[in-house]
Amino acid sequence: MRQKRVVLLVPTTTYRLDDFLQAATRLDIEVILASNRCRVLAAAWPNHFGLSLPFSAQREAVAKAVAMLRDKTIDAVVAADDYTTILAAQLSAKLHLHGNRPESVAKTRNKLSLRRVLAGGGLLSPKFFVIHIDSPPEPYLSRVDFPVVLKPLLLSGSRGVIRANTPDEFVAAFHRIATLLRHREFFQMRSAAAKCILVESYIPGSEVALEGLLTNGKLRVLALFDKPDPLVGPFFEETIYVTPSRLLPETQREIHAAVSQACKILGLQHGPIHAEARLNEQGVFILEVAARTIGGLCSRTLKFGAGISLEELVLRHAVGENVDDMLRLTGAAGVMMLPIPRSGRLHAVHGIEAARAVPYIQDLQITIPLANLVIALPEGASYLGFMFARAETPAQVEKALREAHRKLHFDIQPALLVQEQ
Ligand SMILES: Nc1ncnc2c1ncn2[C@@H]1O[C@H](COP(=O)(O)OP(=O)(O)OP(=O)(O)O)[C@@H](O)[C@H]1O
Ligand SMILES: [Mg+2]
């Protein structure tokens, strides 16, 4: 039988590469890495033929990929991260492969489009409007029912997401996000949406994340994660995710139904999805639906069938295998994304061994090298690392993660941050 071949679209900032490559190796699938800076990746992973694509010029990137792949049979195109989902859908469509329509994926990548589509489709939605970063925010105050959340339209990982409870906080949050969006990092984002701020009414309640797999429009829940830390702002850093969820079965069914409905309204059909939702007495509010797997190293909490990884499951599904009977292994698992407590230079991390020694802790990875600058939310875009636990019950997992986190001490020293224009 011919070896299957998958194009994996990875931004150079990805956390996801190693897990996808390992999965591909185990499955004997050939991976063609497509990245926005392949010289670096090519040096690091010389066994993989790399495509260097200009991710910020999508049409050009697709044309270049199609031209370079014309002599090869491709079985699937997989996006490793948010940033590459639209490109993956476009390339998939051009190569006549099974995937999502690019227009559907594009709606998931713009928080205003997502809100409009979901609210228009009858799902519960906060009230919302947008402001351009060059407009003064004060005239909008008359429209605001506090509390609200302000956020950029195109960023992810809670970057630039700020709650405001008062007019002063609103104006301050607006300027803080506007400053972030004027940073040169975002110059290449030429769309008008990159210069807009979404204002949404604050949705009270608890939060969950759903990892799912769509097959011809039908959603299978691979895992539902509770987020046991209160996410009440002013910034919304992710910390602990635990699965299986401790919510009542009927609440879990409501979440499944709402996410299924969201996928349907968006027109998402095939492949992995990651959704986040808030729940309160009104019902399920969808915060996000993305056509990709869970971010960071968090997928390492999940094992299926005889112990296969989420990436293996997704790659098998992508090349057309039936994975319906590969269920998540029983038992509870969780991850803590280690938040950056303040910005500065990461000088030392103490207590790693003590944290690893806490019962049920399986692994701890510090993902930022010592001496690097770390930037806290809302401006930052990364975590200090990831810590994993596995136990019989979700409560044991949560307790272990908290206890292990208390053993860690991050020595972050003030750094002279050069103001970039
Ligand atoms: N309207 C809201 N009400 C309450 N909390 C919110 C609201 N919008 C966002 N949040 C909080 O902020 C977090 C991040 O917001 P959101 O998911 O919209 O942005 P993101 O994570 O940066 O982008 P994406 O999820 O598209 O990658 C949410 O997980 C939630 O905790
Ligand atoms: Mg989110």
Side-chain angles (χ1 to χ4, degrees):
M1 211 173 64
R2 179 181 63 79
Q3 188 188 23
K4 300 280 186 186
R5 190 181 285 132
V6 169
V7 176
L8 183 66
L9 291 172
V10 278
T12 46
T13 50
T14 190
Y15 285 104
R16 310 279 298 115
L17 185 57
D18 289 343
D19 291 346
F20 268 111
L21 288 185
Q22 260 185 33
T25 305
R26 277 197 295 266
L27 296 170
D28 195 29
I29 289 176
E30 183 191 340
V31 170
I32 297 181
L33 283 181
S35 162
N36 45 344
R37 203 199 291 154
C38 111
R39 279 179 303 114
V40 175
L41 286 172
W45 288 277
N47 296 335
H48 297 274
F49 164 70
L51 281 179
S52 169
L53 301 179
F55 281 179
S56 55
Q58 304 215 332
R59 203 176 302 177
E60 205 185 304
V62 172
K64 187 170 173 192
V66 170
M68 290 182 75
L69 296 169
R70 70 179 170 271
D71 299 331
K72 295 186 183 283
T73 306
I74 304 296
D75 297 282
V77 180
V78 174
D81 287 86
D82 253 342
Y83 186 51
T84 50
T85 51
I86 301 179
L87 194 55
Q90 288 173 334
L91 185 54
S92 214
K94 270 274 186 275
L95 298 174
H96 307 290
L97 299 170
H98 219 134
N100 290 308
R101 283 172 33 241
E103 309 81 75
S104 298
V105 177
K107 287 176 199 151
T108 69
R109 290 285 295 134
N110 176 320
K111 292 185 171 72
L112 175 62
S113 311
L114 185 76
R115 277 276 159 262
R116 283 186 177 144
V117 172
L118 297 187
L123 285 181
L124 287 176
S125 171
K127 283 191 254 161
F128 60 91
F129 63 91
V130 275
I131 315 180
H132 193 277
I133 56 171
D134 293 334
S135 310
E138 289 80 3
Y140 292 89
L141 280 169
S142 58
R143 295 174 63 173
V144 177
D145 244 342
F146 287 104
V148 289
V149 172
L150 295 89
K151 51 174 115 165
L153 302 194
L154 304 186
L155 303 194
S156 53
S158 300
R159 207 169 174 202
V161 182
I162 306 178
R163 172 176 170 164
N165 299 316
T166 63
D168 284 351
E169 286 179 11
F170 179 89
V171 171
F174 176 89
H175 289 303
R176 193 161 178 177
I177 302 169
T179 303
L180 174 66
L181 295 179
R182 286 194 188 102
H183 193 275
R184 68 171 185 159
E185 180 188 344
F186 303 116
F187 277 4
Q188 59 173 15
M189 290 186 171
R190 274 175 234 127
S191 78
K195 303 268 178 288
C196 287
I197 295 175
L198 180 64
V199 181
E200 291 184 354
S201 47
Y202 177 81
I203 309 158
S206 55
E207 195 165 314
V208 292
L210 182 148
E211 201 61 16
L213 192 62
L214 286 165
T215 307
N216 301 321
K218 189 169 185 318
L219 176 68
R220 169 181 163 200
V221 178
L222 297 175
L224 183 64
F225 291 91
D226 291 335
K227 303 189 187 184
D229 273 338
L231 287 158
V232 290
F235 313 133
F236 297 89
E237 60 192 9
E238 304 269 24
T239 52
I240 298 180
Y241 276 38
V242 183
T243 193
S245 170
R246 283 168 272 183
L247 292 166
L248 294 172
E250 59 259 39
T251 311
Q252 298 196 26
R253 279 195 291 275
E254 269 178 60
I255 297 165
H256 184 167
V259 175
S260 271
Q261 184 62 15
C263 292
K264 204 162 161 194
I265 298 168
L266 287 160
L268 293 175
Q269 281 283 318
H270 207 71
I273 63 128
H274 176 80
E276 315 224 341
R278 284 208 161 205
L279 328 166
N280 58 35
E281 62 288 345
Q282 285 178 268
V284 179
F285 287 75
I286 303 288
L287 285 171
E288 154 183 27
V289 182
R292 56 163 170 89
T293 47
I294 192 167
L297 302 182
C298 299
S299 69
R300 295 185 188 176
T301 48
L302 300 176
K303 289 277 177 261
F304 300 87
I308 75 168
S309 67
L310 177 67
E311 292 75 17
E312 274 180 73
L313 188 94
V314 165
L315 287 178
R316 281 173 190 261
H317 183 260
V319 299
E321 265 185 54
N322 184 333
V323 293
D324 287 351
D325 53 4
M326 291 176 193
L327 303 180
R328 197 184 75 77
L329 291 183
T330 52
V335 58
M336 182 172 200
M337 290 158 249
L338 300 170
I340 295 173
R342 66 193 160 280
S343 301
R345 195 170 294 283
L346 181 62
H347 188 64
V349 183
H350 304 289
I352 293 180
E353 289 317 310
R356 284 202 175 119
V358 169
Y360 306 124
I361 294 296
Q362 297 243 311
D363 195 14
L364 166 58
Q365 298 274 335
I366 302 297
T367 43
I368 298 202
L370 292 184
N372 268 38
L373 282 179
V374 293
I375 303 173
L377 277 177
E379 284 81 13
S382 46
Y383 299 100
L384 288 167
F386 299 82
M387 188 155 61
F388 303 89
R390 212 169 269 283
E392 265 164 44
T393 68
Q396 287 167 327
V397 166
E398 183 184 337
K399 188 160 167 271
L401 290 169
R402 292 194 192 288
E403 193 180 328
H405 189 227
R406 281 194 293 273
K407 311 249 181 233
L408 289 173
H409 173 72
F410 296 96
D411 180 358
I412 296 171
Q413 307 216 337
L416 262 185
L417 294 172
V418 179
Q419 191 73 42
E420 293 183 61
Q421 295 303 313

